[in-house]
Amino acid sequence: MTAVSLSPVLPRPRGPLSAAVVRILREEPGTATFPAPGAPEPFGEDLHLALYTLYELHYQGFAEADPDWEWDPAMIAFRTALERTFLAALRHEVAGGADVWSTVDELLVEPVEGNGVSHFLRDEGEWWQVREYFTHRSLYHLKEADPHAWVLPRLRGKAKAALVAVEFDEFGGGRADRMHSQLYADLLTGAGLDPGYLAYLDRVPAVALAPVNMMSLFGLRRALRGALVGHFAAAEITTAPSARRMAQALERLNADPACVEFFTEHIEADAVHEQVLRHDVLGDLLAREPELAADVVLGVQATEFLEQRLAEHLLGCWRTGRTSLI
């Protein structure tokens, strides 16, 4: 039986910023000085591990880190500096604009001959590549829907009620064994992987940490509530088709039923969620706060940009027989 990691431990550093974070979080809050962040690579290993570690203080925390670090002023100031670098880079890389409906409609168009990760895994992927994909995605799916919960207090009216309905499904409709995070833990167990929370933080590169960091960044900032909703809409709209391909890949490879179930659950659920997010959440949000249109577009486009970077990394490694993990 696969061992389960019970308490997250601080990760191995990948540079001076993450090294400082790991060292300081082992100390008492208020007793250490964070370094000047300088000008780190906005999509690099060091910045994203540092950000992921600091964001985790708002989720499950770490065994070695005092819970009071969560709102330590020095930590918040340091994290804000890293966020500015990351957010500025995201804004630079996407086209921008304020035409929400055209941007969303583009997500609904599937290319006739797709060449993404789920297409590759469905048509020719090997089991070791599927297991690597599971490992990358574990950093989000074991906290699935948690980053999006931050936006609930920032919404009103129909948008809020509709997003709560979507989150209710994500959290298993009140059943702990049906929470999507638990279904993913079951998937990992079925694949012979460690289902422990953050078990693979040291194995997952920055290109897979960045999409999760983006969710935390958007979720924790009220000013970016539109971007978080845009991201969530993009994720739900594109999940059902890719989940169908993943289920087909796993059936071809005779995977454990728990692996298949995670994706079949998302085929139906996310097809419904897509409609709710487009009409009830986005529609009501923009009717109330039309000035958030550009942020919604940012959330959609940033999601596509980071997912494309991850796909290029995975396929570039796999097509040459290399591991995509650290």
Side-chain angles (χ1 to χ4, degrees):
M1 183 176 180
T2 305
V4 178
S5 304
L6 298 178
S7 299
V9 297
L10 288 164
R12 292 194 297 267
R14 302 180 194 174
L17 297 175
S18 52
V21 167
V22 169
R23 173 182 56 81
I24 291 172
L25 290 184
R26 289 193 172 107
E27 302 176 12
E28 290 294 320
T31 63
T33 301
F34 285 85
E41 164 55 44
F43 302 112
E45 297 292 339
D46 193 26
L47 179 143
H48 278 282
L49 182 62
L51 262 184
Y52 196 99
T53 304
L54 293 175
Y55 283 139
E56 192 55 40
L57 298 173
H58 296 289
Y59 294 104
Q60 299 298 318
F62 295 96
E64 308 107 304
D66 190 310
D68 284 344
W69 272 117
E70 180 180 7
W71 296 111
D72 181 84
M75 185 282 288
I76 295 295
F78 180 73
R79 194 191 76 201
T80 298
L82 300 184
E83 288 175 333
R84 289 196 184 105
T85 296
F86 180 35
L87 183 58
L90 286 177
R91 292 188 185 279
H92 176 75
E93 293 290 345
V94 302
D99 189 344
V100 171
W101 303 117
S102 292
T103 303
V104 169
D105 286 346
E106 290 174 5
L107 297 174
L108 299 171
V109 180
E110 281 255 309
V112 176
E113 296 184 4
N115 57 0
V117 172
S118 60
H119 297 86
F120 175 88
L121 293 176
R122 179 194 62 189
D123 298 337
E124 56 185 295
E126 300 177 17
W127 183 237
W128 69 270
Q129 294 162 333
V130 170
R131 280 166 49 94
E132 286 198 358
Y133 180 75
F134 290 168
T135 300
H136 286 287
R137 292 301 193 186
S138 70
L139 271 295
Y140 167 63
H141 284 304
L142 290 177
K143 60 159 61 83
E144 184 167 344
D146 287 351
H148 308 120
W150 297 115
V151 81
L152 294 175
R154 287 87 185 266
L155 301 179
R156 291 177 289 170
K158 181 187 291 186
K160 183 174 197 163
L163 195 59
V164 167
V166 173
E167 287 280 87
F168 185 66
D169 287 346
E170 301 282 344
F171 290 123
R175 290 179 53 189
D177 63 317
R178 299 303 300 171
M179 289 194 302
H180 289 184
S181 57
Q182 181 57 52
L183 293 180
Y184 203 80
D186 296 340
L187 170 149
L188 293 169
T189 299
L193 295 167
D194 188 342
Y197 186 80
L198 298 192
Y200 292 109
L201 182 54
D202 285 329
R203 299 296 311 282
V204 174
V207 71
L209 297 180
V212 191
N213 282 339
M214 176 192 66
M215 298 179 208
S216 298
L217 168 62
F218 291 167
L220 285 167
R221 290 193 177 200
R222 179 180 174 276
L224 292 174
R225 61 195 179 279
L228 191 281
V229 173
H231 152 72
F232 201 6
E236 297 296 300
I237 289 170
T238 57
T239 293
S242 64
R244 183 174 295 106
R245 289 188 288 269
M246 286 301 303
Q248 292 167 345
L250 295 169
E251 289 165 352
R252 176 177 64 83
L253 293 167
N254 296 314
D256 186 282
C259 299
V260 180
E261 183 179 6
F262 176 82
F263 292 100
T264 55
E265 166 74 14
H266 283 72
I267 294 171
E268 181 176 349
D270 287 359
V272 175
H273 295 170
E274 171 214 323
Q275 295 297 317
V276 174
L277 278 156
R278 287 177 66 204
H279 300 295
D280 296 337
V281 179
L282 282 176
D284 187 64
L285 176 68
L286 293 174
R288 292 173 181 274
E289 301 182 274
E291 69 276 10
L292 296 183
D295 285 339
V296 172
V297 170
L298 169 66
V300 173
Q301 293 178 345
T303 300
E304 290 185 286
F305 169 71
L306 292 179
E307 288 296 326
Q308 183 60 35
R309 290 184 76 249
L310 176 58
E312 290 171 358
H313 170 74
L314 295 176
L315 296 175
C317 290
W318 292 344
R319 285 175 173 150
T320 57
R322 295 178 292 120
T323 180
S324 60
L325 298 169
I326 294 174

